[in-house]
Amino acid sequence: MSFAYENIATFSDRHPKPTYYQYQYGTAGFRTLGDRLDSVVFRVGILAALRSMKHNSHAIGVMITASHNPEQDNGVKLIDPRGEMLEASWEVHATTMANARSTEELIEVIQHIVDLLNIDTTRPAVVIYGRDTRPTGESLVAALQDGIQAAGARGRDAGITTTPVVHYLVRATNSKDYGEATEAGYFTKMTDAYKKLVAGRPKISSLLVDCANGVGTMAAEKLKEYLGDTLPIILENTSTTTPGALNHACGADYVKTMQRLPPSLNGKLTPTQRGCSLDGDADRLMYFYIDEKRQFRMLDGDKIATLVAAFIVDLVKASGLQGQIRVGIVQTAYANGASTKYLTQRLPVKCVPTGVKHLHHAAESFDIGVYFEANGHGTVLFSRNTQEILENHEPNTPAQQTALNHIINLTKLINQTVGDALSDMLLVEVVLAHKSYSGIEWDSLYTDLPNRLVKVVVGDRNAFVTTDAERRLVSPPTLQQRIDELVLKYDGGRAFVRPSGTEDVVRVYAEASTRAQADDLAFRVAGMVYDESGGDSTKRPKEFI
Ligand code: G16
């Protein structure tokens, strides 16, 4: 098929934009109520085709998911040729297309983009797409298929699958040496590497996996088969068809925000046994365990980054590559202060704004870049130069050879395109197996400062504008100054405010030296945010007072 504006116009008339809504490309693409997204997803199909044409017909990915959001929400993320998030400069094109008020305006916008970027629309285009288990997913896929067809592109349907699988498929389709571009190729690559890395190490009796009642269930079931008895995983929260169950009182976001075990796992996780939670599209991971005092202990993205980075640094030294390969860490403002302090004493650490797209690019500046958000979203990147060093290195001793083999296997185990809960879970289990650590030893690397995350519903979240990697507010005008004054009253206090890019809320993060102080600081700052937004004082949430 060829690119024909008449064709696009005919299809576009079937996917009109609602007049009342302005779309915003957020932290991870467009995200709002699923039944508001038909026109957006249709247009994303066209945009993905244009991006493929612009990139020498390399495949572009589209994932329909709202990840950690409630079930009624949905969203769409675009994936670039190397499997990473859409290049930031195209976000503006996505937004302009999404907000074109009519078919005529849409055609004008497309023509403008084609001219501006000098896109050769005679080139073939390929779009790989998948969706999670949300009820609105099926109709949104139909809208996407219309967009792909309207633009004369070829679509490849990856079906109901996880975000990391779609990222993998895009990378593997475009770079043949990355792996076989099938779901089986994804599982085989990852589990073969895992088996080599844990060969001869003691096995744990079981690992409990909370699948958030989402698409991670299907992927984890397949992973279980590939793993066999090398890692016995017990799957929980696997009700993918129960209405309202997705992410409800379970999953990685629940664990991180509530800092407690999902109620459905009460009595299932035995003391000292490890468990972990995936989120709704299986790109985030939170670990936890119950200690000897039967207290819930959370091991979040910061703890994962610390564990993994230390292991990689040890392997680099042990393989004789110290001095040739520089390992660095990327975090966001949400990183626990104790983790940042611990890490900066050992490694270069960068702080960037929230969003995998920011972390991923910052991590590319290291030879091996370990990036994790505290919410459990992260991965490890090995630069091209590092891969070459690994391939050409000639170890002097058998011990160096073993360490080198381990690093090479890590490059295969880790999904280097994006945070991947299942790949990260295997990575954590590899490190724990090598270190002979239980959750307790891992947890004891440093002690988290007590912290609290709060969401505040405001009239207009865009009124909250940040700077300094989202650590400070520049608007509303005097709010940051008042937060600064308040923070000074708390021992070890730190707090910041930022608008979410995935939910219609403002997020408040606070930490302090005691749990009571962290809670108090968070709720007081949340109260300031609420008041600042012109909230009705009679509806002011009780906890904020
Ligand atoms: C997305 C992004 C993450 C980000 C999270 C929350 O995750 O990929 O990088 O941390 O949203 O973002 P915000 O605080 O702006 O709402 P996911 O797993 O929801 O796709």
Side-chain angles (χ1 to χ4, degrees):
M1 270 183 77
S2 62
F3 195 82
Y5 287 102
E6 317 82 71
N7 206 25
I8 292 175
T10 310
F11 275 101
S12 171
D13 287 341
R14 294 180 209 154
H15 300 279
K17 175 189 175 291
T19 47
Y20 57 89
Y21 199 73
Q22 274 295 107
Y23 298 100
Q24 203 172 328
Y25 197 99
T27 312
F30 296 103
R31 204 174 284 189
T32 181
L33 289 170
D35 56 16
R36 280 184 184 166
L37 280 166
D38 180 82
S39 62
V40 173
V41 173
F42 165 73
R43 293 165 186 204
V44 161
I46 301 171
L47 186 80
L50 291 173
R51 186 131 180 93
S52 174
M53 290 163 188
K54 178 70 191 165
H55 279 268
N56 300 325
S57 304
H58 281 131
I60 295 293
V62 176
M63 179 68 192
I64 295 175
T65 177
S67 190
H68 71 278
N69 291 45
E71 190 168 293
Q72 65 273 22
D73 286 359
N74 216 326
V76 58
K77 309 185 195 183
L78 278 139
I79 302 162
D80 259 358
R82 285 178 51 77
E84 70 275 49
M85 297 285 196
L86 177 71
E87 183 188 299
S89 68
W90 274 59
E91 291 181 7
V92 59
H93 304 313
T95 307
T96 319
M97 275 178 73
N99 289 308
R101 285 165 297 184
S102 60
T103 291
E104 293 69 37
E105 204 172 301
L106 176 65
I107 299 291
E108 278 170 29
V109 170
I110 295 172
Q111 281 170 336
H112 172 73
I113 295 170
V114 167
D115 291 345
L116 180 77
L117 303 173
N118 201 14
I119 297 172
D120 178 357
T121 55
T122 64
R123 290 198 77 107
V126 184
V127 181
I128 299 174
Y129 55 91
R131 71 165 173 104
D132 70 14
T133 52
R134 281 162 208 271
T136 48
E138 193 175 348
S139 67
L140 291 178
V141 162
L144 179 76
Q145 287 167 335
D146 275 1
I148 295 169
Q149 198 186 337
R154 187 161 60 83
R156 178 176 158 201
D157 187 357
I160 299 179
T161 190
T162 69
T163 294
V165 166
V166 179
H167 282 256
Y168 168 89
L169 292 176
V170 171
R171 173 77 170 264
T173 301
N174 294 325
S175 325
K176 301 290 175 224
D177 57 347
Y178 192 69
E180 188 194 305
T182 61
E183 197 179 68
Y186 163 84
F187 284 114
T188 306
K189 179 180 176 188
M190 187 162 76
T191 52
D192 281 357
Y194 175 77
K195 287 173 190 168
K196 286 180 190 156
L197 280 157
V198 296
R201 307 269 157 190
K203 285 179 193 154
I204 55 167
S205 56
S206 63
L207 172 69
L208 200 133
V209 183
D210 159 21
C211 299
N213 295 316
V215 70
T217 307
M218 287 94 158
E221 276 164 358
K222 289 178 192 160
L223 179 71
K224 196 175 164 149
E225 283 172 27
Y226 280 88
L227 287 171
D229 64 359
T230 50
L231 179 64
I233 51 177
I234 300 170
L235 307 185
E236 297 288 348
N237 294 325
T238 56
S239 307
T240 54
T241 52
T242 307
L246 175 67
N247 292 328
H248 180 70
C250 62
D253 200 57
Y254 175 89
V255 170
K256 177 64 185 165
T257 313
M258 305 304 287
Q259 304 186 23
R260 71 167 76 115
L261 191 67
S264 50
L265 302 186
N266 277 333
K268 290 186 175 159
L269 190 71
T270 53
T272 73
Q273 186 191 15
R274 281 195 290 279
C276 58
S277 287
L278 322 179
D279 71 341
D281 62 341
D283 59 4
R284 293 197 210 173
L285 179 72
M286 296 295 298
Y287 258 80
F288 43 79
Y289 68 99
I290 306 286
D291 69 13
E292 298 96 330
K293 294 180 195 150
R294 297 194 169 265
Q295 295 294 310
F296 170 76
R297 305 285 310 177
M298 181 176 77
L299 295 151
D300 65 2
D302 300 335
K303 292 268 179 180
I304 296 175
T306 308
L307 180 80
V308 167
F311 182 61
I312 292 176
V313 167
D314 287 351
L315 287 179
V316 168
K317 272 187 211 159
S319 61
L321 284 166
Q322 197 177 7
Q324 289 189 63
I325 293 180
R326 196 173 66 118
V327 182
I329 302 259
V330 186
Q331 299 187 310
T332 71
Y334 289 109
N336 193 280
S339 78
T340 310
K341 188 171 169 201
Y342 178 90
L343 287 166
T344 41
Q345 286 162 355
R346 293 161 175 83
L347 290 166
V349 179
K350 283 186 186 177
C351 180
V352 298
T354 300
V356 167
K357 57 189 178 188
H358 300 296
L359 289 109
H360 195 93
H361 291 301
E364 283 173 333
S365 65
F366 295 113
D367 301 323
I368 300 180
V370 179
Y371 75 80
F372 272 89
E373 295 182 285
N375 64 21
H377 209 149
T379 188
V380 182
L381 304 183
F382 299 80
S383 73
R384 199 180 292 252
N385 185 42
T386 302
Q387 307 256 24
E388 277 168 22
I389 292 174
L390 295 174
E391 275 159 30
N392 298 322
H393 181 53
E394 287 178 9
N396 292 324
T397 64
Q400 285 191 349
Q401 182 67 61
T402 304
L404 177 68
N405 291 346
H406 287 335
I407 308 179
I408 291 171
N409 282 320
L410 286 180
T411 67
K412 295 175 181 155
L413 170 72
I414 294 166
N415 185 342
Q416 293 183 52
T417 62
V418 77
D420 180 333
L422 296 178
S423 156
D424 289 341
M425 178 184 88
L426 297 184
L427 174 60
V428 165
E429 291 304 321
V430 164
V431 184
L432 297 178
H434 276 252
K435 298 262 186 195
S436 302
Y437 278 179
S438 66
I440 301 168
E441 281 115 8
W442 172 16
D443 201 9
S444 68
L445 291 177
Y446 64 86
T447 306
D448 271 327
L449 279 169
N451 59 89
R452 179 63 62 197
L453 254 174
V454 179
K455 291 182 198 180
V456 190
V457 179
V458 297
D460 177 16
R461 67 183 147 130
N462 294 317
F464 295 79
V465 182
T466 63
T467 184
D468 187 20
E470 302 182 321
R471 288 174 285 199
R472 299 190 62 76
L473 279 173
V474 288
S475 179
T478 59
L479 184 53
Q480 185 62 51
Q481 193 190 331
R482 285 185 286 133
I483 294 171
D484 290 345
E485 286 163 11
L486 182 68
V487 164
L488 285 176
K489 297 179 184 157
Y490 294 79
D491 189 20
R494 180 169 76 94
F496 66 88
V497 171
R498 59 173 285 278
S500 163
T502 60
E503 295 174 71
D504 200 5
V505 297
V506 166
R507 299 197 198 280
V508 172
Y509 174 86
E511 61 187 32
S513 56
T514 66
R515 153 83 29 237
Q517 286 200 31
D519 287 350
D520 192 62
L521 178 57
F523 289 124
R524 278 180 197 278
V525 175
M528 286 178 174
V529 169
Y530 187 77
D531 291 344
E532 193 68 47
S533 74
D536 174 351
S537 61
T538 59
K539 292 189 186 146
R540 199 169 191 261
K542 277 204 210 74
E543 303 94 312
F544 294 175
I545 297 168

